[in-house]
């Protein structure tokens, strides 16, 4: 991919896990990537993993409107356009807390990050894609298998991921007139720092603690790249990528 035809992406939550893996996959494929996340040092580590790539690290808390405004302004100033937003930043929130004991502050933190942050980033990307010439681009929201089937004691995370599915569908419809394709990837048990506990034991619906299989996060990154590199006339509306033997289909 030569410099003239380089595609531009924003990846949120790029300092670790799925975001880091996707950013690296895109950089190796010749994309220029704006790396967004709360920890500047982690973003620099992500960039250093693909030193031959063209990246821009922007410290961003997606729950803060001004941070998001500054992120997309930096992308416009550096690259001039935007072809892809991978809306990935998120948090599980407190694990194992009974619903009746869940502090409102914990609920609000998950909603602000997973849902409000996704809204703010999608809105900023949508505006830029609508206004730029040539018009259009792609937004890929990182959902979760929890957007379909919850885990025990996961009300904040599950509620936000269900809401994200609604956001994906709505934006997919609204973006048609402007060449903006919107899809969602629902991921189950990718091996990252956030899922490290899966190998030792995770709470099941029957109350037992059991280890669960995980998959290589690189397989998720390749799927996102495939979705991203489709022509705008084609869209993966929803993709589910999970560890084959995890307790999802038939979860009990």
């Amino acid at each position: 991919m030569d410099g003239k035809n380089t595609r531009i992406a924003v990846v949120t939550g790029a300092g670790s896990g799925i975001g880091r893996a996707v950013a690296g996959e895109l950089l190796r494929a010749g994309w220029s990537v704006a790396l967004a996340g709360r920890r500047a040092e982690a973003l620099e580590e992500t960039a250093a993993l693909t030193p031959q790539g063209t990246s821009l690290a922007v410290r961003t808390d997606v729950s803060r409107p001004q941070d998001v405004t500054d992120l997309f302004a930096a992308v416009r100033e550096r690259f001039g356009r935007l072809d892809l937003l991978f809306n990935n930043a998120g948090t599980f929130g407190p694990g194992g807390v009974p619903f009746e004991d869940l502090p409102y502050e914990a609920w609000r933190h998950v909603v602000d990050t997973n849902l409000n942050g996704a809204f703010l980033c999608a809105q900023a990307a949508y505006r830029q894609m609508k206004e730029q010439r040539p018009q259009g681009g792609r937004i890929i929201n990182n959902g979760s298998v929890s957007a379909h089937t919850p885990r025990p004691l996961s009300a904040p995370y599950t509620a936000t991921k269900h809401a994200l599915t609604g956001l994906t569908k709505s934006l997919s419809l609204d973006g048609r007139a402007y060449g903006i394709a919107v899809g969602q990837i629902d991921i189950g048990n990718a091996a990252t720092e956030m899922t490290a506990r899966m190998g030792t034991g995770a709470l099941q619906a029957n109350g037992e603690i059991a280890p669960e299989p995980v998959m290589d996060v690189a397989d998720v990154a390749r799927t996102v790249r495939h979705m991203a590199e489709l022509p705008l006339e084609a869209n993966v509306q929803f993709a589910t990528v999970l560890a084959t033997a995890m307790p999802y289909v038939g979860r009990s």
Side-chain angles (χ1 to χ4, degrees), residues 86-87 140-147 157 161 164-165 168 184-187:
F86 181 44
N87 225 349
I140 300 174
N141 292 322
N142 183 354
S144 169
V145 295
S146 292
Y157 184 78
K161 293 303 183 179
L164 197 61
T165 298
T168 297
Q184 181 169 313
I185 184 167
D186 296 323
I187 302 164

Side-chain angles (χ1 to χ4, degrees), residues 14-240:
S16 63
I18 291 168
R20 173 173 284 180
V22 168
E25 179 72 19
L26 293 174
L27 286 165
R28 288 188 293 273
W31 288 68
S32 294
V33 182
L35 310 170
R38 291 182 296 105
R39 296 175 296 132
E41 64 279 6
L43 299 178
E44 297 296 343
E45 290 170 5
T46 297
L49 293 174
T50 315
Q52 74 276 18
T54 301
S55 60
L56 171 67
V58 184
R59 198 212 66 79
T60 308
D61 182 340
V62 298
S63 70
R64 297 178 179 272
Q66 189 60 54
D67 278 18
V68 174
T69 297
D70 293 345
L71 165 65
F72 285 87
V75 171
R76 278 194 303 275
E77 181 177 350
R78 172 72 179 274
F79 300 114
R81 67 172 287 110
L82 176 63
D83 299 292
L84 171 69
L85 165 65
F86 181 44
N87 225 349
N88 166 72
T91 180
F92 283 136
V97 178
F99 182 73
E100 65 274 21
D101 296 329
L102 184 70
Y104 174 72
E105 293 74 16
W107 167 272
R108 182 63 184 269
H109 174 66
V110 177
V111 172
D112 280 344
T113 303
N114 295 5
L115 181 57
N116 295 341
F119 159 75
L120 290 169
C121 290
Q123 186 180 59
Y126 189 100
R127 285 171 173 161
Q128 183 164 342
M129 291 170 180
K130 180 181 175 181
E131 294 167 1
Q132 65 192 6
R133 295 294 181 270
Q135 193 177 60
R138 190 180 304 275
I139 298 170
I140 300 174
N141 292 322
N142 183 354
S144 169
V145 295
S146 292
H148 307 275
T149 303
R151 289 186 176 278
L153 307 180
S154 67
Y157 184 78
T158 296
T160 56
K161 293 303 183 179
H162 275 67
L164 197 61
T165 298
L167 180 65
T168 297
K169 291 179 178 179
S170 185
L171 288 181
S172 183
L173 178 61
D174 294 346
R176 289 177 183 174
Y178 310 111
I180 301 172
V182 184
Q184 181 169 313
I185 184 167
D186 296 323
I187 302 164
N189 287 18
T192 68
E193 301 94 323
M194 290 180 70
T195 60
R197 62 184 178 84
M198 298 294 178
T200 56
L203 180 63
Q204 305 298 305
N206 63 2
E208 296 179 356
I209 302 293
E212 295 186 10
V214 296
M215 63 175 169
D216 192 333
V217 71
D219 294 319
V220 174
R222 283 191 290 268
T223 304
V224 173
R225 178 185 164 195
H226 168 70
M227 296 168 70
E229 293 186 343
L230 288 172
L232 291 178
E233 293 75 21
N235 187 39
V236 176
Q237 185 69 75
F238 291 97
T240 302

